[in-house]
Amino acid sequence: MSAKRTLHEGWTVTGDPGAPLAVTAIPAAVPGEVVSDLLAAGLVGDPYTDRAEQELAWVGRHDWTYRTSFDFEGGDWDGVDLAFDGLDTVARVSLNGAVVGETANMHRRYRFDARTAIREGANELEVAFTAPYTYAEAQRERLGDRPNAYPEPGNFIRKAACNFGWDWGPNLAGVGIWRPVRLETWRTARLAEVVPHVSIEVADGAVKGVVEFAVDLQRAGDADLELVCTAGDQTTTVRVPAGTGAARARVEVPNPRAWWPHNRGAQFLYDAAVSLRSGGEELDSWSHRIGFRKVELDTEPDEDGRPYQLKINGRPVWVKGVNWIPDEALFGRIDPARIERRLRQAVAAGIDYLRVWGGGVYESEDFYRLCDELGLMVGQDFLFACAAYPEEEPFWSEAEAEARDNLARLAPHPSLVTWTGNNENIWGWHDWDWQEPLGDLTWGAGYYHDLLPKLVSEVDGTRPYWPGSPYSGARELHPNEQAHGSVHIWDVWNREDYAHYRDWRPRFVAEFGYQAPPTWATVRRMTTDEPLRAETPNMLWHQKAADGQAKLQRGLDAHLPPVRDFDDWLYFTQVNQARAVRLGIEHFRSLQPYCTGSVVWQLNDCWPVTSWAAIDGEERLKPLWYALKDAYADRIATFQPEGDGVKLVLVNDSDKPWGSVVGFWKCTPQGRINGRALLTIGVAARDTAELVLTGEVAPKPGEFLVTGREDFPRATWFTKEDKDMDWPTAEFTAETRPVPGGVEVKVTAETVLRDLCLFPDRLDPAATVDKALLTLIPGEEAVFTVTSEAIAASAALTAALTSKPVLRAIND
């Protein structure tokens, strides 16, 4: 029987002598990375505060050596291997002074034969890392420079591109043993790789789940072997003759329960296992949970262009998505509990799809396992982003090995539904002035159009592949053509106001978004500036987007009254972000079935920063998260422009028909009701209906529309921007009462209250609130539930919940 032992204890890390800071054998966390080790040792400051990131720029330009020792009892083993699930990035692995392997790819697993180097008793293990900048710049010099959206050499090393900084992330390009390491021993043979190809077959009215196990073996001899393969309660045994290094086994499960996204059905999972045996003795084993579901991507041209329609188990899905980046810049801090918190926040917002973006990593087993269990679909990019990538060696072979490894590793997960070749690189070649500087140099096309689709078909075979994001489906088409395939919308934010989302008529939106600073408590973590202002030095350092503050101000000028202080700026920019994205989502949903999904940039942050995220780097919910929850609700009503008028669109993304009475009011800025409408509606399951508003129900200039307190998120329509509306100064009463774990705040409107929000993190950084962005008319009530033991225990803090800057409305 094989044996596996983790080697995570007793590590130290030492810097090279030329580094500006002398680092000798400080404790090192494994899994982890060197910046966290330096921080834990008290040698550097918190890289997330002020400009401390700058002070760590040297780390990625120096070599580092990790060392540990372990005891080995010996034994009659045919194989003794060192298995590394992730080394970041260019490393030489030595055991007792003998080199057993070298690496140059963060994104793949490695296994090194240690039989000749290991000894009984004490053993010394060393992993010596070459500085990532040293390696990448040497490759760039050798192969010739290529365009990159950022002035960094991240496209010349197989390392997470965002490690070198992004327009939302820091440059902390260090090194480390970032995923688990083990010592594995085995006799006779071992399971080198198991890839379950899971599908659903229908024949003669009978449904069966099928698992085709593709098994690769490593042998030490020519013994006959046996594979016992199980899925659910069904088992198949396959004989593997002497000398054979691979085998396939088919297991059929009658009438399986299907896996569905969380808003479509249940997430039934089955146990799958493979046991490798010889002479009745188990030599090695593999186990995983799988789910039976069928994934299709309909991209066949139609009369309008080319759709991008995801189907699960034969049913079209309107994708309610977000983009996902690594949840921490220091990857060693990301544990399963953190991932689970983030994914549960996604589900709570109605999100059903995560696009794992190509500038990050192939996520951990915990990530995909939780997506399986929670019913979150995952679209996985191969890891190429915003740059031209060389196809020469060693990069071609590394790209192939990396893709094969991750296709095999992630194959069991039903949540993984698509593979995409890259992020924005095909678009970059077309539009970002790459072609002249590239000349005849390779830039990655061979990966996206040839290598990767071949490997997806060969290794996986159960999931669709798309060459890029964005991509229109044919090389002769512009890759970001809105009538074809997937698009990214970045004229909004970069150049245009967010109302211009309505100028787009896309088939599928894989990226769009709008910026805002993080929550108050997170701002106070990221900067010590006093007094706080939007343009203070450390606020600007944590704004990585080009002209980001100017773009935020442009949005404020277009929609909102002038800001009076930092509190206004923080609140107004966060509201503007939420409004922008909600407007975009509701517009795209109103276009279904022509448009088939929206994937917002982005769900999460990796550190405290002004960014496009809905959940900031300290795990706090920005107002955008609440807007996503409303915009991605199964049933929504949304007012949309129609010529010079307005229409009401009803979207029913549920399996049941929507029959109801929907009412809305036409109001003056002072909250006087000038008209009412009650509509009897009937919207079929997974369908939309619309009504153009004419006559008395159509709003006049200066009026606004608001739906009643229905069982769907309130819809509003304003004939003027807030800066031009004749809003009265907000008046209300507010009462508090204790509830288990916190405080309830009841607000009763005496005037219109526009985008009412409560920010309890100003009083307790750990506090949360259940709702935000409420527009009330006079006489209406809203009840906020604040979760915070600290606030509940303090009369002063409780009282502070009912006034500025904690309780805010646009017209306050």
Side-chain angles (χ1 to χ4, degrees), residues 404-482:
R404 286 186 180 276
D405 185 35
N406 287 283
L407 285 164
R409 177 173 73 89
L410 302 180
H413 294 284
S415 57
L416 179 57
V417 295
T418 61
W419 286 96
T420 299
N422 71 87
N423 175 76
E424 298 190 342
N425 294 349
I426 299 173
W427 187 18
W429 187 84
H430 276 262
D431 280 2
W432 297 355
D433 298 321
W434 286 11
Q435 295 181 36
E436 183 176 343
L438 276 171
D440 294 331
L441 293 175
T442 59
W443 58 274
Y447 299 137
Y448 319 136
H449 295 297
D450 301 318
L451 177 66
L452 295 176
K454 176 180 76 74
L455 295 177
V456 171
S457 176
E458 176 186 330
V459 180
D460 185 327
T462 67
R463 295 172 176 88
Y465 170 83
W466 197 241
S469 186
Y471 188 65
S472 294
R475 294 199 199 194
E476 61 270 18
L477 291 173
H478 186 279
N480 205 38
E481 166 55 51
Q482 62 177 311

